[in-house]
Amino acid sequence: MRCPNQLFLTNQYFGLALPNTWPYYSTTLKLTTATRRISKISNSWPPGSGHKCLVVYDREDRLGERWMEFQGINNWDGLLDPLDSDLREEILRYGEFIEAAYDCFDFDTSSATYATCRYPKGTMLMHCGLGQSGYKVVKSLHATCNVQMPRWIERIPNLMLPQSSWIGYVAVCDDVDEIARLGRRDIVIAYRGTATCSEWLENLRATLTCVPGDMTPYENNEPMVQSGFLSMYTSKIEGHSSLQDTISEEITSILNTYSNESLSITITGHSLGAALAILTAYDITTKFNNLPMVTVLSFGGPRVGNKRFRCQLDKNGIKVLRIVNSDDPITRVPGFVIDDMASRGDAMMARLPSWLEKYMEDTQWVYAEVGKELKLSSKDLISKLNVATCHDLKTYLHLVNNLVRERKEIYKQC
């Protein structure tokens, strides 16, 4: 039986939805927290891999005073280089909520409960080692794939193609001490990455499509997003509401319940989940007036929409922190980015006339990066690099934990 505080790096954490034939990775990262101010972080990477074990003694907890800074009120200016130690702990904390979404998902294709949540809502976080987090799960979330399956797929024996799958959850901080520590009552929406073949096929629908009318503000500026991500967010089948409708109903309930409190909404996800997190933030800030601060923490997320989509995100006041491993190719797809090429000094792009740039954007392949980027690199910390390892959520959390620390933080190597 697995120890609850030991998280194994298996195919279920890759976010790539590789088949179960993918090799089992025995690398683990153990995390125990004695208090919120002193934490021991160790790892059991293979001997000789060059990975170091750190015992970190954090400075006095000032989260309650600075929480809006860490949620991006100033776009994380001055906090990313070097990475502020308190912000680091917040990033790792929200990463644990995504890990819980992976851990709850039933990856066993031979099981009758494949693609569902393995645990009841009331004990979900406890089973994932977050029983003392101060949060309770208030809603399970399902996403529906609406992609047309190619006929040849039906000939593959024992292939499971669930149309609707458990994708994550909504949790509300309900512990008095934790609310005081955080400085507000926090609502978390956490999404896992790709896990089924149906979701893989949706990922491949990479052309841009217009955002539907109910997600478009009055001054319609034709924002466009990736077709597959939008389909998963808006599609519904009998017995399962769309992810969009479920989120809308839950946000309405939460706002009514805690109308007189200081709130924050933090939407976090990895891979496909990061894309859904951005769509969720865009949707709720378009539909709801007077929302509390909405922040997205994206781990290894692909591109989601075009320039007009990015502009509307900014107008809606959404704060997005994209945590990107420079060695992870998933963060550089789909499509291509014209303004990014120009900013790098690409000579060809610098010479493009405006009419040609407009034409390229109309091809439905020109995307735009959103938010603020925290760039990581796995080259110096991981000896054997491959796509799965570079994209794995566990790798992201390991890299965040090992970024150059502020001088005032005391640490020792063991």
Side-chain angles (χ1 to χ4, degrees):
M1 182 175 178
R2 197 177 77 180
C3 181
N5 72 331
Q6 190 170 3
L7 298 173
F8 286 79
L9 218 172
T10 65
N11 62 314
Q12 73 184 65
Y13 286 105
F14 291 138
L16 290 172
L18 299 176
N20 285 336
T21 54
W22 191 262
Y24 181 87
Y25 281 73
S26 60
T27 301
T28 63
L29 182 67
K30 301 173 186 175
L31 176 62
T32 58
T33 304
T35 71
R36 288 293 179 180
R37 297 183 183 181
I38 302 177
S39 59
K40 180 176 181 180
I41 302 175
S42 62
N43 67 65
S44 57
W45 295 88
S49 65
H51 303 112
K52 300 193 181 292
C53 172
L54 297 177
V55 178
V56 183
Y57 296 89
D58 294 325
R59 297 170 303 175
E60 185 176 354
D61 197 338
R62 296 169 296 165
L63 183 57
E65 301 172 2
R66 302 179 60 197
W67 71 265
M68 295 188 75
E69 289 183 58
F70 301 140
Q71 292 294 107
I73 190 68
N74 298 319
N75 294 312
W76 296 280
D77 289 343
L79 297 178
L80 301 181
D81 188 15
L83 180 60
D84 182 274
S85 60
D86 295 321
L87 176 59
R88 181 200 312 275
E89 293 305 315
E90 283 296 275
I91 293 172
L92 293 173
R93 186 171 71 89
Y94 286 113
E96 290 178 353
F97 286 111
I98 307 173
E99 285 185 317
Y102 276 117
D103 206 38
C104 288
F105 187 78
D106 189 347
F107 283 86
D108 185 0
T109 55
S110 65
S111 170
T113 58
Y114 171 59
T116 65
C117 183
R118 299 193 297 142
Y119 307 115
K121 186 175 63 176
T123 60
M124 187 187 302
L125 294 182
M126 182 187 68
H127 281 289
C128 299
L130 295 179
Q132 302 301 315
S133 65
Y135 288 72
K136 67 174 181 180
V137 174
V138 296
K139 194 71 175 181
S140 282
L141 302 174
H142 295 80
T144 298
C145 297
N146 199 30
V147 64
Q148 186 68 38
M149 298 294 175
R151 292 182 179 178
W152 58 265
I153 283 189
E154 299 176 1
R155 296 196 293 269
I156 301 177
N158 302 319
L159 181 64
M160 299 292 291
L161 296 170
Q163 196 172 359
S164 181
S165 303
W166 187 86
I167 194 82
Y169 58 91
V170 181
V172 175
C173 185
D174 69 337
D175 180 80
V176 174
D177 292 336
E178 184 67 358
I179 291 171
R181 189 186 76 87
L182 296 176
R184 82 283 187 193
R185 185 186 295 273
D186 187 39
I187 293 95
V188 169
I189 303 174
Y191 293 119
R192 61 164 175 81
T194 310
T196 70
C197 289
S198 303
E199 292 167 0
W200 255 117
L201 293 173
E202 290 284 22
N203 289 345
L204 297 176
R205 296 172 61 190
T207 55
L208 290 161
T209 188
C210 289
V211 170
D214 64 338
M215 291 177 65
T216 305
Y218 179 75
E219 66 275 12
N220 184 3
N221 59 356
E222 297 182 351
M224 303 178 77
V225 296
Q226 198 257 27
S227 302
F229 301 154
L230 181 63
S231 173
M232 288 193 64
Y233 186 68
T234 59
S235 296
K236 65 181 75 175
I237 57 175
E238 185 176 353
H240 281 293
S241 300
S242 68
L243 179 57
Q244 179 186 31
D245 290 343
T246 304
I247 289 290
S248 182
E249 291 170 7
E250 195 57 36
I251 291 296
T252 299
S253 174
I254 288 172
L255 293 179
N256 289 336
T257 303
Y258 305 110
S259 58
N260 296 321
E261 296 187 33
S262 175
L263 301 175
S264 65
I265 299 176
T266 309
I267 313 173
T268 188
H270 171 242
S271 194
L272 165 64
L276 293 176
I278 290 174
L279 279 178
T280 300
Y282 175 89
D283 185 33
I284 64 175
T285 54
T286 299
K287 288 180 178 174
F288 292 89
N289 295 320
N290 303 316
L291 271 181
M293 191 171 183
V294 177
T295 301
V296 175
L297 292 181
S298 158
F299 292 83
R303 296 166 183 153
V304 178
N306 65 356
K307 281 184 183 179
R308 292 184 289 273
F309 176 73
R310 178 178 65 191
C311 288
Q312 194 59 52
L313 278 175
D314 293 340
K315 286 181 181 179
N316 289 4
I318 301 165
K319 303 302 180 181
V320 180
L321 180 60
R322 291 185 302 112
I323 298 121
V324 174
N325 179 2
S326 59
D327 305 304
D328 178 6
I330 303 302
T331 61
R332 299 192 293 274
V333 295
F336 57 95
V337 180
I338 289 180
D339 54 355
D340 183 53
M341 292 177 177
S343 67
R344 293 199 309 261
D346 190 292
M348 182 187 73
M349 287 298 165
R351 293 195 302 268
L352 281 180
S354 59
W355 67 267
L356 182 54
E357 184 172 331
K358 175 67 165 59
Y359 172 79
M360 292 178 68
E361 289 180 354
D362 290 341
T363 63
Q364 298 180 318
W365 282 100
V366 179
Y367 283 72
E369 305 290 9
V370 301
K372 198 72 172 279
E373 180 180 280
L374 173 61
K375 183 168 286 188
L376 312 170
S377 177
S378 52
K379 289 180 180 177
D380 296 332
L381 290 173
I382 301 174
S383 56
K384 295 182 179 179
L385 296 177
N386 55 54
V387 173
T389 303
C390 289
H391 185 59
D392 173 46
L393 176 62
K394 206 40 118 174
T395 297
Y396 270 83
L397 298 182
H398 179 68
L399 295 177
V400 168
N401 185 55
N402 285 278
L403 273 180
V404 176
R405 296 170 179 272
E406 291 184 286
R407 292 181 180 178
K408 292 182 180 180
E409 188 175 79
I410 305 169
Y411 67 97
K412 68 177 182 179
Q413 298 178 356
C414 56

